[in-house]
Amino acid sequence: MNLPSKLIEDAVTEISRLPGIGKKTALRLALHLLKQHEAHTEALALAITRMRQEVKYCKTCHTISDEEECSICKSHRRDGSIICVVEDIRDVLAIENTNQFNGKYHVLGGVISPIQGIGPEELHIESLVNRIDSATETEPVKEVILALSATMEGDTTAFYLSKRLKDKGLNISTIARGIPVGGELEFTDEVTLGRSIMTRVNYSGH
């Protein structure tokens, strides 16, 4: 794409690095920003910079947070005896939007995928085990919900976790298969996802 301005070209190149945005869309966004009042563009740039520099990951569940511990983990209204294990932060947001779950979360940061070179050690599995082991007697972890995508990688991860946790005296469950095989949680509609959480079943790995 030949542009009359190197500055615009650089902006288009950076914007097009975002997922789902091609060069034409990036150019349209860049020209839109150029037409905006300078204060609006500066506010956007500042918001992105602050997000990158100041957003933290919860020390307990690994979701995004403005503080060392997220609001869900700190909340006394949430049921700490139930931990919903998810692949990604986007899955936390998807489940929260259903308003059907009142427990707490644990974000793995991915799923086991030998093809992509992702093993258990690359995920937040050990911190989950430690979290369960260190739970207080006043609020022990009683159930772990494996809310992972219905893919081969998701099933592999669920199987591995079930083996790691089988001696912890927990009820290990999985979301009901209202989720289509091969589907990812973040793209599932809220009604189906909410029903899958509420009608979860005991997990039995093979």
Side-chain angles (χ1 to χ4, degrees):
M1 182 179 290
N2 296 319
L3 298 172
S5 168
K6 183 65 167 58
L7 297 174
I8 293 291
E9 186 177 333
D10 289 344
V12 168
T13 298
E14 294 304 317
I15 294 172
S16 66
R17 295 182 193 276
L18 296 172
I21 296 183
K23 290 283 188 179
K24 289 184 178 179
T25 301
L27 176 59
R28 188 162 62 249
L29 290 172
L31 294 177
H32 172 77
L33 291 172
L34 191 62
K35 293 178 182 178
Q36 297 301 300
H37 193 283
E38 187 173 345
H40 294 165
T41 309
E42 290 177 351
L44 173 61
L46 178 60
I48 293 174
T49 301
R50 288 193 62 193
M51 176 190 71
R52 188 65 185 87
Q53 295 178 346
E54 299 177 24
V55 165
K56 300 176 176 62
Y57 290 92
C58 176
K59 64 180 182 181
T60 302
C61 74
H62 307 290
T63 194
I64 51 177
S65 176
D66 289 342
E67 301 176 1
E68 292 296 321
E69 192 170 34
C70 72
S71 58
I72 293 176
C73 285
K74 289 193 298 185
S75 174
H76 297 296
R77 297 182 179 180
R78 308 291 296 225
D79 186 354
S81 70
I82 305 176
I83 296 179
C84 184
V85 179
V86 298
E87 173 185 346
D88 189 82
I89 292 165
R90 291 169 295 185
D91 299 331
V92 173
L93 302 178
I95 294 173
E96 281 296 284
N97 285 336
T98 70
N99 294 315
Q100 297 294 320
F101 181 67
N102 193 46
K104 297 187 178 181
Y105 297 93
H106 193 87
V107 179
L108 294 177
V111 286
I112 296 172
S113 178
I115 295 178
Q116 297 181 11
I118 302 174
E121 60 278 359
E122 273 78 49
L123 307 177
H124 298 302
I125 293 176
E126 286 305 317
S127 63
L128 172 62
V129 175
N130 294 335
R131 181 178 174 185
I132 293 169
D133 289 340
S134 62
T136 62
E137 293 184 3
T138 56
E139 193 176 37
V141 177
K142 298 178 181 178
E143 181 181 4
V144 170
I145 305 172
L146 303 178
L148 302 172
S149 298
T151 60
M152 183 180 296
E153 293 80 7
D155 288 344
T156 299
T157 306
F159 179 76
Y160 179 86
L161 287 171
S162 70
K163 295 302 181 185
R164 285 297 309 272
L165 303 175
K166 67 178 181 178
D167 297 326
K168 302 295 181 182
L170 302 168
N171 178 31
I172 301 176
S173 62
T174 183
I175 55 177
R177 289 304 196 193
I179 311 301
V181 174
E184 297 186 9
L185 258 61
E186 64 172 302
F187 300 120
T188 304
D189 68 271
E190 294 174 7
V191 174
T192 300
L193 182 55
R195 187 180 297 120
S196 296
I197 288 287
M198 295 303 293
T199 58
R200 60 188 180 272
V201 295
N202 287 334
Y203 179 83
S204 56
H206 301 289

